[in-house]
Amino acid sequence: MGLFRKVISVRPNQIGYLYHKNKFRQRLNPGVYKFFDFYREIDCLTLPTVSQIITVVNQEVLTKDNISLRISYLVEYLIQDSDIFVSKFNLFSDKSSLWLTNISIIAESENLIRNFTQVYLRETIAQNESQQINHQRKEILSLIPEALQHKLAEYGIVIQNLIVKDIGFLKIIKQLFAQQLETKIRAKLDLENARTTVATARTLKNAAELMSNHDNIKFMQFMETITKIAAQGKHTFVIGDLSNDKIK
């Protein structure tokens, strides 16, 4: 009897769809199931019930200012309605292996997701100039359009996240961006140097005005001069008006 027994395993975070004579019979939750299958007429399709991530690489697009670039991004999706999902794809196209059948359906659905997201991406990039994309790469796919969600909902799929992984510009464009950044840095340094020079000149001007008008500073300058002269030999200094009775 064991030769005619069909063992079906539905793993955690999966859901199974049981078919008998190519007709849907029931949904299977995670577990191990055994069915009598003398004529080998039972098939089972398993689908993930948790989020999946795919990577779309090196998609060539044009910006609003006709700059060509390559972009890679991540798509996190979920099969939200598995009943709709199984109704949209060709099930059991490869009867030689159930494992290959599951892989084929997931690959087909992910190819569908790639195509739809690429169309949206091209439309989004075409509305922005290259400099905006270079500085705002995190915001490019931050909002998932309702049109894209609505289209994928027809297949029982919902997009949970779109994340830009990498943006690649042509070599000459990279050089232009680097030159632009260097120019900005130099201009900022020149501005800081000019501000420092102006502040220094203002300080020196204020100090000169203070020294020229303050009596105490004049006296200190005078005493400093006398001290320097006295240090070179014996001298007699007369301070004050010679007409006065007392001479200091």
Side-chain angles (χ1 to χ4, degrees):
M1 293 296 294
L3 294 176
F4 307 114
R5 180 173 295 176
K6 182 88 167 187
V7 179
I8 295 175
S9 176
V10 181
R11 300 184 180 279
N13 298 323
Q14 290 184 340
I15 188 171
Y17 279 77
L18 182 68
Y19 291 84
H20 181 239
K21 293 183 179 181
N22 294 327
K23 294 181 180 180
F24 173 72
R25 293 305 180 188
Q26 69 181 95
R27 297 173 62 175
L28 302 177
N29 293 321
V32 177
Y33 303 86
K34 298 179 181 179
F35 301 93
F36 181 74
D37 188 19
F38 183 80
Y39 295 104
R40 298 182 182 277
E41 297 172 333
I42 293 178
D43 290 304
C44 183
L45 172 69
T46 57
L47 298 174
T49 57
V50 294
S51 300
Q52 306 292 309
I53 295 178
I54 59 176
T55 303
V56 184
V57 299
N58 293 332
Q59 299 303 303
E60 187 169 349
V61 293
L62 283 176
T63 63
K64 186 177 181 179
D65 48 351
N66 293 323
I67 299 298
S68 176
L69 57 87
R70 292 182 180 273
I71 186 168
S72 300
Y73 59 96
L74 303 177
V75 183
E76 183 181 2
Y77 74 95
L78 175 69
I79 301 176
Q80 190 175 50
D81 193 324
S82 54
D83 291 341
I84 296 178
F85 184 88
V86 297
S87 69
K88 292 292 186 178
F89 295 96
N90 184 19
L91 307 181
F92 307 112
S93 59
D94 185 357
K95 299 293 288 185
S96 62
S97 172
L98 290 177
W99 181 78
L100 289 177
T101 297
N102 292 335
I103 295 297
S104 176
I105 293 174
I106 295 299
E108 186 178 353
S109 64
E110 291 186 348
N111 187 54
L112 179 76
I113 294 171
R114 286 190 182 92
N115 290 333
F116 282 132
T117 54
Q118 286 171 13
V119 171
Y120 160 65
L121 178 66
R122 287 189 174 93
E123 293 177 352
T124 302
I125 297 298
Q127 297 174 2
N128 294 272
E129 295 186 353
S130 56
Q131 291 184 0
Q132 294 176 335
I133 295 173
N134 189 44
H135 294 112
Q136 301 177 357
R137 60 177 62 195
K138 292 183 179 179
E139 289 78 19
I140 294 176
L141 300 179
S142 59
L143 296 177
I144 304 173
E146 293 183 3
L148 176 63
Q149 292 285 38
H150 179 73
K151 191 64 179 177
L152 290 175
E154 297 178 0
Y155 296 84
I157 299 171
V158 61
I159 299 295
Q160 296 180 315
N161 275 307
L162 285 175
I163 304 173
V164 175
K165 183 180 180 182
D166 185 42
I167 297 178
F169 289 89
L170 298 176
K171 185 176 180 181
I172 186 171
I173 301 300
K174 291 181 179 179
Q175 292 175 348
L176 291 176
F177 282 147
Q179 292 175 2
Q180 183 185 44
L181 178 60
E182 181 181 0
T183 301
K184 288 182 178 180
I185 293 175
R186 290 185 180 276
K188 186 176 181 180
L189 290 175
D190 291 342
L191 179 61
E192 291 296 328
N193 291 335
R195 288 176 177 174
T196 302
T197 302
V198 171
T200 302
R202 186 181 294 112
T203 302
L204 292 175
K205 179 182 178 182
N206 294 337
E209 292 177 351
L210 179 65
M211 294 176 66
S212 61
N213 298 324
H214 202 283
D215 292 338
N216 290 335
I217 292 179
K218 290 181 178 180
F219 179 74
M220 292 175 63
Q221 291 176 335
F222 175 75
M223 293 302 299
E224 182 180 2
T225 302
I226 295 298
T227 302
K228 290 180 179 180
I229 296 174
Q232 298 178 1
K234 294 181 179 181
H235 302 277
T236 300
F237 299 96
V238 179
I239 301 176
D241 191 353
L242 292 178
S243 62
N244 293 338
D245 297 333
K246 295 181 179 180
I247 298 178
K248 299 180 181 179

